[in-house]
Amino acid sequence: MIDDRFLAENTALQRPPVQFYFDFSSPYSYIASEWIEAVAARHGRRVQWHAILLGATFQAAELKSPISHPLKRDYMLRDFERSARFAGLPYRQPGTFPIPTQNAARVFWWLHDQDPARAVAWAHAGLRAYFTRGVVLSDPAVLKLLLVESGLDADAAEAAWNDPAWKARLKSENDAAIAAGVFGAPYFIVDGEPFWGNDRQAQIDAWLASGPFKGLT
């Protein structure tokens, strides 16, 4: 007999994965990273993670970071913490925010090409460290300590993030994301349908369950 777990795993492999775009410096990416796998798995789907740089997408879309607007900044800082609390997640607003995250993202893609699961584990480690402990991922020395803490080869990772090949890889991933219409994070694409923001969880869940909403073609 074929057990239910085998059927679920093979069904997930056959159906298109949910595309999940995130930035290590995005609070909403942190929150979404904690629920997207469970939501996808509930509907027999996998998740394909994409580390990107919000700066690149903002530039392409001629946008500015929301916190760069004085009228929005205080609200956004309040909403980051409130949204995490609503999701039942620990959160501490980093003292240095936002930060450049190209090195953490390059490590993600370096790991991804070895083992996607290790890359996802690194994404969780980096996001949780920054948004619960204030670990400044943009500081190379601090980043190396986190890599060691995460059971990774910090020297090899440092060599990767300084390697022109991995710099080019991250640029190509940013370019691909922009070509796919990504202009912020977290950003999801489900069977060609785009969803932007951590607050789209309920819509993504419903879309995965039944496809296009009634009246939407």
Side-chain angles (χ1 to χ4, degrees):
M1 295 179 62
I2 301 176
D3 61 31
D4 291 341
R5 181 178 177 181
F6 177 84
L7 287 172
E9 289 176 350
N10 279 272
T11 298
L13 288 173
Q14 293 169 12
R15 303 181 71 184
V18 173
Q19 306 297 325
F20 171 51
Y21 298 83
F22 71 97
D23 184 311
F24 280 95
S25 190
S26 162
Y28 296 128
S29 288
Y30 157 60
I31 299 169
S33 73
E34 298 289 343
W35 57 256
I36 186 57
E37 291 278 3
V39 169
R42 186 156 59 240
H43 302 286
R45 299 291 187 103
R46 296 176 297 114
V47 179
Q48 188 167 348
W49 293 54
H50 301 262
I52 60 169
L53 301 180
L54 275 175
T57 64
F58 287 162
Q59 184 176 15
E62 299 182 355
L63 297 171
K64 294 173 65 177
S65 169
I67 66 165
S68 68
H69 299 275
L71 280 174
K72 290 183 178 180
R73 181 179 174 85
D74 288 347
Y75 173 83
M76 297 300 294
L77 293 175
R78 186 183 188 93
D79 191 60
F80 296 155
E81 191 277 334
R82 180 177 60 200
S83 296
R85 188 169 68 244
F86 181 74
L89 297 174
Y91 185 86
R92 188 176 82 189
Q93 182 60 41
T96 304
F97 176 82
I99 57 173
T101 57
Q102 67 271 16
N103 289 342
R106 290 169 189 157
V107 170
F108 172 89
W109 288 111
W110 170 67
L111 289 169
H112 178 274
D113 284 7
Q114 302 172 52
D115 180 356
R118 292 181 72 204
V120 171
W122 165 244
H124 280 303
L127 289 163
R128 290 167 181 167
Y130 184 47
F131 290 110
T132 68
R133 295 188 281 141
V135 175
V136 184
L137 305 179
S138 55
D139 183 324
V142 172
L143 185 59
K144 288 186 71 174
L145 288 174
L146 181 62
L147 285 157
V148 172
E149 180 184 308
S150 303
L152 298 168
D153 186 331
D155 290 334
E158 182 179 31
W161 81 56
N162 285 314
D163 189 328
W166 294 107
K167 292 180 180 182
R169 173 61 179 280
L170 178 57
K171 183 181 185 305
S172 72
E173 294 294 341
N174 286 327
D175 291 344
I178 292 165
V182 176
F183 56 83
Y187 198 95
F188 314 84
I189 300 178
V190 182
D191 299 334
E193 186 71 14
F195 297 87
W196 171 48
N198 173 64
D199 57 354
R200 297 298 129 185
Q201 179 179 358
Q203 288 191 19
I204 291 170
D205 199 0
W207 192 279
L208 286 168
S210 58
F213 306 141
K214 185 177 181 180
L216 181 61
T217 57

